[in-house]
Amino acid sequence: MSRFITITQVDGAEDQFSDRDLPLTIGSGPDNHIRMKGSAEPAAYIDDAQGHLFIQPAEHLAVPLLHNDRQLTESAWLKSGDTLRCGPFLARFERSGDRIVFRVAEERAADSPVLSPPPHPPPGHIGQNNGGDELPVDIAPPTKTSRRKKIGVAAIAFFFLVLSCAVGYVLLARPLEVIVSPEPDSLKVSGRFPAVKIGGRYLLLPALYSVAVEKKGYHDFRTEVQVGQGGQSSLQVTLEKLPGLLNLRVSPPDGVQVYSADRLLGTTPPATVPIAPGPHTLILSKPRYRPYQTEIVIEGKEIVQDLAVSLEPDWADVTIGSHPKGAEVVVDGTGAGTTPLTVPLLSGTHDIELRLDLHSPHSQAITVEAGVEADYFIDLTPLPALLSLTSLPAGAAVSIGNQYRGTTPLSLTLPSGIDQDISLSRPGYLTLNHPISLAPGEERDLQLTLEEELGVVFLTTTPAQATVTINGTSRGALQGALKLPARAQTFVVSAPGYQTVSRTLTPNPAFSQQLVIELPADAAAGQAVALPPESGVSLTTAAGQRLRLIQPSSFMMGAPRREPGRRANERERQVIMKRPFLISETLVTNGEFKKFNGGHRSGTYKGYSLDGDNQPVVNVTWDQAVAYLNWLSEQDNLEPFYQKQDNGYRAAAPPTNGYRLPSEAEWAYTARQAGVQEIQRYPWPGGFPPRAVLANLGDESARTLLPRVVPGYNDTFPVTSPVGHFPANPSGLFDIGGNASEWCHDYYSAYTGRLAEDIDPLGPGIGTHRVIRGSSWKDATLAETRLSYRAYRKEARNSVGFRIARYP
């Protein structure tokens, strides 16, 4: 409720205020709201409490202040009609609805006239004649009869005087109707003239009158009414109830705040709180307790109403333990103690943190339910250790617990307090396993020396005096048995008058090998015989795999409509191959893959092993294959072609020259077009079935293993065979058909609709499955053994491996 306050000052000026200006001050200074004679300092203050105004005297009154003609010594409620007096100044308080008026006036003593008898008696006065001389008069005492006559005349005269006054009062008086709700205990109208009540109205002569209304349980009402011309003829008064008294019986009894809506009414103790009459939404609150809310109607009139409330605790005991114990516990950023610890926490979510020397901090959020005890036990993790690992020679692949971690030199963050095995491997060196246990927070430098793995190579050169260079180191004229590291060894043999020949061989510790190099004579002087780039080995990887350089050209990829066995996803399309590429002669073997992942097993099939070192690695996913190719790139100091992402691998953009899987177009070109005049349909000349044993297919040796075999065909290998066992195709690649199907780089697409020309395609940018090309040891039908046959998968299979490709 917003009230309007008008103050009429003694000089007639009007000042306007509102509830926001409370408290008002009374004094003679210009800064006071109500200006009356007295001290310049405030003599009293007027403020609001629960919707009612009250006056409170200042601590030291220089001039006495009277409230309703009684000296003000303590706080008092203000009621309409009240007066405030300070010296000759009088202020009247009037309230009507939301409007409040203070009228300040200065009282003055009334001027009384001085009455003097006339200097001469009026004419005809007894005892004086017309000439002004006194005349002797003989007055006889009146008789009894004359005395009665005189009394009767006086009575009649008094009656007419009273009647005349009554008639004059009635003619001059004005009616005033006073309507009070509810019925008052006392109603008084007073003023300069007496008030005559007739029925429910008062007859009043024109003047200013005071009206006072009182009723038990209600605020007294006082106001002034002007009767007469322009004055009031009626006054309607609605009495306001006094506040009610709410007696609180709360548990706990102390410190409970009582609100009505957003307004603070009080804090216990005391337990009795005055509240304005009417409906209220009460909220009782205390720290660490749940707020209590209730609806209540206050009767008012100083009637005492009881309310009993027991506040519910808003916390629970939380017990926190740890291993090891003694950890510092921090709750919501504040230290709470050390484990084991029981701490009361408010309901809701809390952040707890445990700290202990030589252990990693532990943080978690817990939810506390009021009144429900909870236990938390936390195993603290010892601080990790830092290991700086180097090897002689550098570049060794590091695995810990069969997980590849990189190549030396390498900084590793390892768990502490446990025994771990570090495995180092490098082509040409024996795998080194080194146990290690690190203390929490320890930083250790460790250097391991690899022992070379040697194989025997019997070298024969023609002519015998030819100079032999092995991996760039000249060894002079060299013949006979050589013990060499079991990694790729490039032999360059030269002699005057002969062409220089280069061969790459990887010695095998398991058996000796023979290398015979015959140098051809030089051609015409000054001319070198250049072989086509496709005809020779162009590159050898760090793991010893040989890659051939392919110079591609445009070709038709897919199969014609009328080709027997053709499927809908083999639509023909023109592919333009412009970029040369390298592709490995053989599939990646189990032995080669295990240098990267020693824990991999290709498994068995119905009792036959697929896990021989020289058999193609199978049961690998597309992601596992490209992870190996990235590792191989690191061995040769190439930037990996694939980048690791949350959901797998993606090709780097722009592409690098690291090792990768062949694209579907590259695989199809080397399988069907390279080195031949006409595009090939099968991995062998002619039709189906093959007339000679040229590939490892589903054959008679696997009749008891497979549902279908090629009738009458026997390659003698029920499952996978050693790589390179069967003849190479015209482009120099082994097992391009049969043995193991091959993962390609591309996402799979059916290639429906009108197909445009593609230039060096790498397949769709997104997809679910990856392309698989080539037949395997399980395939035995015309459709599956065709070179245009396309398959796709996401998961690993025991008939799918891969080979290596890269850009030069």
Side-chain angles (χ1 to χ4, degrees):
M1 178 178 70
S2 178
R3 291 169 294 191
F4 301 95
I5 303 172
T6 301
I7 300 176
T8 303
Q9 305 291 356
V10 69
D11 57 2
E14 285 192 355
D15 295 330
Q16 302 291 334
F17 302 100
S18 68
D19 285 343
R20 292 191 298 271
D21 299 303
L22 294 175
L24 303 178
T25 59
I26 300 175
S28 63
D31 294 331
N32 292 296
H33 298 89
I34 301 175
R35 293 187 285 279
M36 301 172 67
K37 183 176 180 182
S39 172
E41 297 297 324
Y45 302 91
I46 296 175
D47 204 349
D48 174 88
Q50 303 177 15
H52 301 282
L53 295 184
F54 68 92
I55 184 168
Q56 177 177 317
E59 291 186 2
H60 303 288
L61 282 176
V63 178
L65 180 65
L66 303 183
H67 172 227
N68 292 337
D69 295 326
R70 292 184 178 180
Q71 184 168 352
L72 185 66
T73 60
E74 60 182 0
S75 297
W77 295 105
L78 286 178
K79 296 178 275 298
S80 184
D82 283 6
T83 60
L84 303 174
R85 187 185 305 274
C86 186
F89 291 92
L90 178 70
R92 291 185 182 275
F93 168 67
E94 299 176 7
R95 176 176 178 179
S96 178
D98 294 341
R99 188 169 186 81
I100 295 172
V101 178
F102 288 90
R103 303 182 189 276
V104 183
E106 183 176 4
E107 288 189 333
R108 298 175 181 172
D111 296 328
S112 300
V114 179
L115 301 179
S116 300
H120 303 285
H125 185 73
I126 296 176
Q128 186 177 21
N129 63 14
N130 291 337
D133 299 324
E134 292 185 5
L135 299 176
V137 178
D138 184 9
I139 300 175
T143 64
K144 186 175 183 180
T145 302
S146 63
R147 189 177 293 115
R148 287 178 180 172
K149 287 181 180 180
K150 289 181 180 180
I151 293 173
V153 171
I156 293 172
F158 178 76
F159 171 77
F160 279 105
L161 177 61
V162 171
L163 181 60
S164 299
C165 290
V167 171
Y169 187 91
V170 170
L171 293 176
L172 295 176
R174 297 291 184 266
L176 175 66
E177 183 179 15
V178 181
I179 303 171
V180 181
S181 176
E183 187 68 26
D185 296 336
S186 169
L187 172 59
K188 295 180 181 179
V189 179
S190 59
R192 181 181 303 175
F193 302 105
V196 179
K197 185 176 182 182
I198 302 175
R201 298 189 178 189
Y202 291 88
L203 284 178
L204 305 171
L205 291 175
L208 184 66
Y209 292 85
S210 295
V211 179
V213 183
E214 295 180 357
K215 183 175 179 64
K216 184 179 181 181
Y218 291 81
H219 287 283
D220 293 344
F221 177 84
R222 286 181 174 78
T223 188
E224 290 185 340
V225 178
Q226 180 67 47
V227 176
Q229 186 176 4
Q232 292 179 244
S233 61
S234 67
L235 175 64
Q236 192 161 2
V237 178
T238 300
L239 298 178
E240 296 182 5
K241 292 180 180 179
L242 290 170
L245 299 175
L246 182 63
N247 184 34
L248 294 171
R249 297 197 301 274
V250 293
S251 176
D254 297 332
V256 178
Q257 293 182 319
V258 184
Y259 289 86
S260 175
D262 295 331
R263 184 178 181 183
L264 177 64
L265 301 179
T267 302
T268 62
T272 301
V273 180
I275 305 181
H280 292 267
T281 299
L282 292 184
I283 300 173
L284 279 66
S285 66
K286 179 181 172 77
R288 303 182 65 80
Y289 288 83
R290 290 185 175 180
Y292 176 85
Q293 180 172 321
T294 186
E295 304 291 332
I296 189 171
V297 177
I298 299 298
E299 296 183 34
K301 301 187 291 186
E302 297 184 332
I303 295 174
V304 178
Q305 294 174 246
D306 293 329
L307 177 63
V309 176
S310 180
L311 297 181
E312 296 181 8
D314 193 25
W315 77 86
D317 285 334
V318 176
T319 300
I320 302 172
S322 69
H323 179 267
K325 62 184 179 180
E328 179 188 4
V329 180
V330 179
V331 179
D332 297 329
T334 302
T338 57
T339 58
L341 173 69
T342 298
V343 58
L345 296 179
L346 292 175
S347 64
T349 301
H350 298 271
D351 293 323
I352 64 172
E353 182 179 4
L354 272 66
R355 303 169 183 168
L356 185 63
D357 289 344
L358 300 179
H359 289 76
S360 297
H362 174 87
S363 299
Q364 73 178 80
I366 63 172
T367 300
V368 177
E369 183 179 350
V372 179
E373 296 182 357
D375 293 327
Y376 294 91
F377 190 84
I378 297 160
D379 280 317
L380 296 176
T381 303
L383 281 176
L386 181 63
L387 178 66
S388 295
L389 180 62
T390 57
S391 68
L392 293 176
V398 180
S399 297
I400 299 178
N402 292 328
Q403 182 181 4
Y404 173 70
R405 302 296 293 271
T407 59
T408 57
L410 186 64
S411 292
L412 295 169
T413 300
L414 300 177
S416 60
I418 61 173
D419 294 331
Q420 302 176 83
D421 286 324
I422 299 177
S423 176
L424 272 67
S425 61
R426 192 177 192 277
Y429 294 85
L430 294 174
T431 298
L432 174 63
N433 293 313
H434 182 81
I436 191 170
S437 179
L438 300 171
E442 180 181 358
E443 296 183 6
R444 184 186 299 183
D445 295 330
L446 177 63
Q447 184 177 66
L448 300 175
T449 301
L450 298 177
E451 181 182 348
E452 282 192 324
E453 188 176 26
L454 303 177
V456 176
V457 176
F458 289 93
L459 176 64
T460 302
T461 63
T462 302
Q465 297 80 16
T467 299
V468 178
T469 300
I470 302 177
N471 287 347
T473 301
S474 177
R475 305 289 291 272
L478 194 62
Q479 300 280 333
L482 306 175
K483 283 189 175 182
L484 299 173
R487 57 182 183 271
Q489 305 291 328
T490 300
F491 296 80
V492 178
V493 182
S494 61
Y498 293 86
Q499 296 179 23
T500 299
V501 173
S502 175
R503 294 287 186 271
T504 300
L505 177 71
T506 300
N508 194 315
F511 53 85
S512 61
Q513 296 171 283
Q514 186 172 14
L515 179 61
V516 178
I517 300 176
E518 295 183 2
L519 301 182
D522 266 341
Q527 294 183 357
V529 179
L531 296 177
E534 300 91 342
S535 65
V537 174
S538 300
L539 179 119
T540 302
T541 70
Q545 298 111 326
R546 291 183 293 186
L547 276 65
R548 301 183 71 87
L549 177 65
I550 304 297
Q551 297 283 358
S553 62
S554 300
F555 76 108
M556 288 298 293
M557 187 171 167
R561 281 191 174 188
R562 298 183 182 277
E563 181 176 296
R566 178 188 181 274
R567 301 200 310 169
N569 66 353
E570 299 173 21
R571 290 187 60 188
E572 281 189 309
R573 58 193 179 105
Q574 183 73 27
V575 175
I576 301 173
M577 303 289 287
K578 292 184 176 182
R579 188 169 186 177
F581 59 94
L582 294 151
I583 189 166
S584 62
E585 293 181 346
T586 59
L587 298 167
V588 175
T589 67
N590 286 311
E592 293 164 346
F593 190 83
K594 288 178 182 178
K595 291 183 183 296
F596 159 68
N597 183 354
H600 177 74
R601 297 292 180 267
S602 290
T604 62
Y605 184 79
K606 296 185 179 180
Y608 289 86
S609 176
L610 303 170
D611 207 39
D613 281 349
N614 207 32
Q615 290 175 273
V617 63
V618 293
N619 275 325
V620 290
T621 64
W622 188 93
D623 281 351
Q624 290 172 320
V626 302
Y628 169 83
L629 295 170
N630 274 2
W631 170 81
L632 188 60
S633 297
E634 292 174 357
Q635 308 311 301
D636 278 342
N637 295 319
L638 299 175
E639 184 178 355
F641 185 84
Y642 297 98
Q643 293 179 343
K644 185 76 169 67
Q645 294 186 339
D646 291 342
N647 56 351
Y649 289 86
R650 277 192 170 276
T656 71
N657 66 340
Y659 296 116
R660 58 177 172 82
L661 293 170
S663 70
E664 186 180 11
E666 291 169 345
W667 188 96
Y669 182 85
T670 55
R672 306 187 65 193
Q673 186 67 65
V676 298
Q677 296 295 322
E678 294 182 359
I679 196 163
Q680 298 287 101
R681 180 177 294 183
Y682 298 98
W684 53 81
F688 182 87
R691 287 174 290 183
V693 178
L694 299 174
N696 180 9
L697 304 175
D699 69 321
E700 292 291 349
S701 68
R703 181 172 288 279
T704 60
L705 307 179
L706 303 175
R708 289 187 302 274
V709 298
V710 180
Y713 183 84
N714 191 347
D715 56 38
T716 73
F717 292 98
V719 291
T720 55
S721 59
V723 299
H725 179 82
F726 296 93
N729 76 342
S731 62
L733 306 187
F734 297 91
D735 298 322
I736 202 71
N739 209 7
S741 301
E742 301 174 38
W743 286 112
C744 290
H745 169 82
D746 308 43
Y747 277 114
Y748 172 79
S749 173
Y751 293 114
T752 58
R754 186 170 183 177
L755 302 178
E757 289 183 346
D758 273 346
I759 299 176
D760 294 325
L762 289 175
I766 57 174
T768 304
H769 300 82
R770 296 287 182 172
V771 173
I772 296 174
R773 294 298 297 264
S775 52
S776 74
W777 61 274
K778 299 176 77 172
D779 297 322
T781 65
L782 175 146
E784 294 167 336
T785 56
R786 293 175 307 112
L787 293 173
S788 61
Y789 181 83
R790 303 177 72 219
Y792 57 91
R793 278 289 183 276
K794 289 192 297 185
E795 65 280 359
R797 301 183 70 186
N798 59 11
S799 60
V800 179
F802 66 98
R803 70 176 70 231
I804 306 168
R806 62 165 283 198
Y807 292 119

